């Protein structure tokens, strides 16, 4: 590779300006001011990988590959693996795990930016420490009574049941009480937050002699509000003393707020040197949490505190780098529990569960992960449940036949209209779902009606992307005289915040609506619904970066729920089209989903999984 090849890779949109600048900076450090081509290429590619959501660059995956053909300057080809490794190992800017250098190369040919290696290593080490610690000192008799009271008697020890008879919510509660680290994974409607309310009650019963400091958190304001609402609702239904209910917190916060954001800084007030004053931390929508934030959170939690992660391991990974929840759960691989855990569980609940196939007796991370599969939202006859399950399993033929067979009333398929035909075809849908909220009589009613429906797109650009769809919706609503576009700040305009503003307490993913403010002579303000079900308002010019949001990407929809969804797929394949994206989009709906697309694009997406390169899975699961 020649030095000018970096520019060619940039010109061909393989590298970004940031990748090129970083590569030159690192290479000059390595060569005392002189560019070292093999080092600069590795630095550029690892920078590019992190932008794409990977934690590291797998050299073995790109070694020997041709990045550019021979036109206009000759081919750009990566070195063969062993030769490339030798060059990097000799470089002063490349270190081995544990060294403090800009790039870290591990024994499996994975190359990291130092900070991502550090995030990964600290997170893995803290999880392993929690898993390996002695089990919690629990009053088993009290726990058994609590589980029976909150979850029902279930099976008896004399009649252990089969897997289909097991209440996995009860297993999750048992796990959360005896372990300091627990992951409760499950799709929408499987009762994750309901289970957590019961877990908190059990924890409080175990510590009746002292008060527990409990923190509830989620990655976005919307997700935190939903967690808060679910816990409030769930605790009122608990079969436990009022004194216990009163100690379950009424408030959830964003992870950033919990840790204490420092304006203009990537650091937080609470960290490894200033731990959070907590005994139990429950984090909802954990699949949305990227590696950096998860590592910072776990570092700030005392080792003796319980950490409970809630999420759906099969959803889209975080927008930023990492697929943390998937790596922790070892998504795609089946694991049983240790014999010791299974024996303890059977003594308390009567459940006999599958143990590790290799007969391992030692407990480990496999004992800390519980999957909830029974949906209380979608019944056996639900098309949303059937199709999302087939998509999640990667069975494209089954998913297509279920979706296109017309058997279900809550999910349907429509062949994608041509771009020039889309305005006419989608017009009635737009007027039906967005017309009512624009006619609502109160601000609260406006929010309630707006959340009945959303258009979800797989991509941002192109005729079927978010940008085009938002413009199209506005045009249709103008034609129907439902909105006026004489100014960008028109009554009824929905906006999505796209950056965090800690001073205003507005965060990426928050949705507001522009409406006349009766308290300000009906001047326009942007209203947002708060976590305590109140409203806050801002002058439009005070908002951080934002965009119109009749349509949003599936990625941005994570942590949200809508009554009905139109999932719009593009007319051609794209790397972002994966089974996780389809699964996430479909399961945002509570009542109905319409999917518009082409069969070949749908089929390809179902068969493609998100692949994010990381060493976290190996660090937690490798034997």
């Amino acid at each position: 590779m020649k030095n000018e090849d970096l520019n060619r890779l940039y010109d061909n949109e393989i590298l970004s300006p940031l990748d090129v600048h970083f590569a030159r900076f690192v290479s000059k450090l390595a060569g005392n001011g002189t560019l070292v081509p093999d080092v600069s290429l590795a630095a550029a590619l690892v920078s590019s990988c992190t932008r794409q959501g990977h934690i590291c660059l797998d050299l073995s995956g790109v070694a020997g590959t041709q990045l550019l053909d021979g036109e206009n300057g000759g081919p750009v080809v990566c070195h063969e693996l062993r030769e490339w490794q030798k060059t990097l190992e000799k470089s002063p800017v490349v270190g081995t795990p544990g060294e403090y250098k800009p790039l870290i190369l591990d024994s499996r040919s994975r190359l990291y930016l130092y900070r991502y290696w550090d995030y990964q290593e600290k997170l893995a080490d803290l999880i392993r420490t929690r898993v390996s610690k002695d089990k919690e000192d629990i009053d088993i008799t009290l726990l058994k009574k609590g589980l029976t009271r909150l979850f029902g008697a279930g099976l008896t020890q004399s009649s252990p049941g089969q897997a289909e008879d097991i209440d996995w919510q009860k297993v999750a509660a048992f796990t959360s009480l005896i372990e300091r680290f627990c992951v409760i994974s499950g799709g929408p409607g499987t009762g994750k937050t309901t289970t957590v309310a019961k877990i908190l009650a059990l924890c409080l019963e175990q510590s009746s002699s002292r008060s527990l400091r409990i923190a509830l958190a989620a990655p976005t304001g919307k997700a935190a509000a939903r967690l808060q609402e679910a816990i409030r609702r769930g605790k009122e239904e608990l079969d436990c003393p009022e004194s216990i209910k009163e100690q379950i917190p009424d408030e959830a916060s964003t992870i950033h707020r919990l840790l204490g954001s420092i304006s203009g800084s990537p650091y937080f007030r609470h960290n490894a040197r200033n731990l959070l004053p907590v005994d139990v931390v429950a984090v909802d929508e954990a699949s949305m949490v990227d590696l950096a934030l998860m590592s910072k959170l776990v570092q700030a939690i005392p080792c003796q505190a319980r950490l409970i992660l809630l999420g759906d391991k099969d959803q889209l990974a975080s927008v930023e780098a990492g697929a943390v929840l998937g790596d922790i759960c070892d998504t795609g691989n089946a694991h049983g529990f240790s014999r010791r855990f299974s024996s303890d569980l059977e003594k308390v609940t009567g459940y006999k569960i599958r143990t590790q196939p290799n007969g391992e007796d030692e407990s480990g991370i496999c004992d800390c992960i519980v999957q909830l599969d029974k949906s209380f939202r979608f019944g056996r006859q639900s098309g949303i449940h059937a199709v999302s399950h087939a998509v999640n399993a990667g069975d494209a033929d089954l998913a297509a036949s279920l979706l296109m067979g017309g058997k279900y009333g809550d999910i349907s398929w429509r062949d994608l209209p041509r771009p020039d035909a889309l305005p006419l075809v989608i017009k009635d849908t737009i007027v039906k779902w967005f017309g009512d909220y624009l006619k609502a009589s109160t601000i609260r009613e406006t929010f309630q009606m707006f959340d009945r429906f959303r258009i979800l797109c797989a991509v941002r650009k192109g005729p079927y992307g978010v940008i085009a769809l938002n413009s199209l919706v506005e045009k249709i609503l103008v034609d129907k005289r439902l909105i006026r576009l004489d100014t960008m700040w028109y009554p009824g305009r929905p906006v999505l915040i796209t950056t965090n503003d800690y001073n205003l307490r507005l965060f990426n993913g928050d949705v507001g609506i522009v409406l006349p403010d009766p308290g300000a002579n009906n001047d326009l303000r942007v209203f947002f619904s708060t976590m305590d079900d109140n409203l806050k308002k801002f002058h439009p010019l005070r908002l951080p970066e934002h965009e119109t949001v009749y349509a949003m990407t599936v990625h941005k929809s994570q942590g949200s729920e809508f009554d009905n969804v139109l999932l719009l797929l593009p007319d051609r394949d794209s790397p972002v089209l994966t089974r996780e994206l389809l699964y996430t989009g479909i399961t945002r709906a509570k009542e109905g989903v319409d999917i518009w697309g082409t069969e070949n694009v749908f089929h390809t997406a179902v068969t493609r999984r998100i692949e994010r390169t990381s060493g976290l899975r190996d660090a937690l699961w490798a034997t």
Side-chain angles (χ1 to χ4, degrees), residues 9 38-39 48 57 70 76 80 111 125 161 167 186 259 302 306 317 335 353 372 381 387 468 495 567 569 595 607:
L9 292 169
D38 294 334
V39 175
S48 176
L57 167 67
V76 177
E80 294 300 326
L111 186 67
D125 184 58
D167 182 349
L259 292 176
R306 282 188 180 88
H335 295 278
I353 59 175
L372 306 181
Q381 302 305 312
V387 174
V495 295
L567 178 57
L569 304 180
I595 302 178
T607 56

Side-chain angles (χ1 to χ4, degrees), residues 594-611:
D594 292 323
I595 302 178
W596 295 10
T598 64
E599 289 189 40
N600 62 317
V601 167
F602 179 81
H603 191 283
T604 301
V606 174
T607 56
R608 179 189 290 130
R609 292 208 72 137
I610 289 178
E611 298 288 346

Side-chain angles (χ1 to χ4, degrees), residues 358-401:
N358 57 7
E360 284 289 333
D361 239 354
E362 292 301 316
S363 60
I365 193 169
C366 61
D367 291 341
C368 301
I369 298 166
V370 180
Q371 177 69 30
L372 306 181
D373 290 318
K374 181 180 178 181
S375 176
F376 297 90
R377 179 185 303 167
F378 307 119
R380 294 284 184 182
Q381 302 305 312
S382 164
I384 294 176
H385 180 268
V387 174
S388 64
H389 189 271
V391 166
N392 194 26
D395 192 334
D397 292 334
L398 176 60
S401 66

Side-chain angles (χ1 to χ4, degrees), residues 465-477 485 548 550-551:
V466 164
I467 297 172
L469 261 294
N470 279 315
S471 296
L472 176 56
V473 172
E474 286 184 324
K475 184 178 185 308
I476 291 171
L477 295 177
L485 275 184
T548 304
Y550 297 104

Side-chain angles (χ1 to χ4, degrees), residues 251-303:
E251 183 177 352
S253 72
T254 62
I255 297 174
H256 288 80
R257 181 182 169 197
L258 175 67
L259 292 176
S261 300
I262 300 174
S263 182
S265 169
Y267 302 107
F268 296 98
R269 287 193 293 274
H270 289 289
N271 49 46
R273 294 178 298 279
N274 180 30
L275 297 176
L276 287 163
V278 291
D279 299 300
V280 181
V281 177
V283 181
D284 198 13
E285 297 291 352
S287 65
M288 297 172 63
V289 185
D290 61 84
L291 175 69
L293 185 57
M294 185 68 82
S295 183
K296 292 173 183 178
L297 172 64
V298 177
Q299 288 179 54
I301 298 174
C303 280

Side-chain angles (χ1 to χ4, degrees), residues 114-419:
Y114 174 81
R115 65 189 177 103
Y116 281 101
W117 174 84
D118 190 52
Y119 288 144
Q120 175 185 288
E121 195 66 15
K122 286 177 178 174
L123 177 59
D125 184 58
L126 287 168
I127 291 176
R128 287 193 301 259
T129 298
R130 288 177 176 278
V131 169
S132 63
K133 277 186 174 293
D134 292 337
K135 304 307 177 192
E136 289 286 325
D137 185 13
I138 293 296
D139 183 331
I140 294 298
T141 301
L142 182 62
L143 175 59
K144 190 171 183 178
K145 289 180 179 178
L147 289 170
T148 299
R149 187 177 67 256
L150 294 172
F151 293 93
L155 302 169
T156 64
Q157 293 185 44
S158 59
S159 58
Q162 302 301 313
E164 61 268 22
D165 300 318
I166 293 174
D167 182 349
W168 287 100
Q169 291 186 11
K170 194 173 185 179
V171 176
F174 172 83
T175 304
S176 299
L177 267 289
I178 67 168
E179 301 282 356
R180 287 184 175 87
F181 176 70
C182 179
V183 176
I184 305 174
S185 176
T190 51
K192 297 185 293 292
T193 49
T194 301
T195 303
V196 166
K198 296 178 181 180
I199 289 170
L200 297 179
L202 292 170
C203 289
L204 289 164
E205 288 176 1
Q206 290 284 333
S207 61
S208 57
S209 60
R210 64 184 183 91
S211 61
L212 279 185
R213 298 166 298 177
I214 301 171
L216 306 173
T220 67
K222 185 81 170 181
R226 286 182 52 216
L227 172 62
Q228 180 171 290
E229 180 185 359
I231 294 293
R232 283 180 177 177
R233 185 172 60 247
K235 75 175 186 177
E236 293 305 317
E237 300 173 358
L238 294 177
D239 181 9
C240 65
E242 285 298 320
S243 60
I244 295 294
K245 293 181 183 180
E246 291 172 359
Q247 295 179 69
I248 298 176
D250 279 331
E251 183 177 352
S253 72
T254 62
I255 297 174
H256 288 80
R257 181 182 169 197
L258 175 67
L259 292 176
S261 300
I262 300 174
S263 182
S265 169
Y267 302 107
F268 296 98
R269 287 193 293 274
H270 289 289
N271 49 46
R273 294 178 298 279
N274 180 30
L275 297 176
L276 287 163
V278 291
D279 299 300
V280 181
V281 177
V283 181
D284 198 13
E285 297 291 352
S287 65
M288 297 172 63
V289 185
D290 61 84
L291 175 69
L293 185 57
M294 185 68 82
S295 183
K296 292 173 183 178
L297 172 64
V298 177
Q299 288 179 54
I301 298 174
C303 280
Q304 67 271 19
R306 282 188 180 88
L307 172 59
I308 304 167
L309 301 182
L310 314 172
D312 188 345
K313 63 180 177 58
D314 299 310
Q315 267 192 190
L316 280 167
S318 56
V319 175
E320 302 297 331
V324 178
L325 189 66
D327 284 345
I328 291 174
C329 294
D330 197 20
T331 301
N333 296 312
H335 295 278
F337 296 85
S338 72
R339 290 178 179 173
R340 180 183 302 172
F341 178 93
S342 301
S343 175
D344 291 342
L345 179 69
E346 186 175 1
K347 290 175 184 176
V348 174
T349 65
Y351 297 150
K352 185 181 285 291
I353 59 175
R354 183 168 62 89
T355 56
Q356 292 277 34
N358 57 7
E360 284 289 333
D361 239 354
E362 292 301 316
S363 60
I365 193 169
C366 61
D367 291 341
C368 301
I369 298 166
V370 180
Q371 177 69 30
L372 306 181
D373 290 318
K374 181 180 178 181
S375 176
F376 297 90
R377 179 185 303 167
F378 307 119
R380 294 284 184 182
Q381 302 305 312
S382 164
I384 294 176
H385 180 268
V387 174
S388 64
H389 189 271
V391 166
N392 194 26
D395 192 334
D397 292 334
L398 176 60
S401 66
L402 292 171
L403 178 58
M404 301 169 195
K407 175 182 177 182
Y408 300 103
D410 61 342
I411 191 166
S412 66
W413 171 268
R414 181 168 192 159
D415 289 336
L416 189 67
R418 298 187 316 274

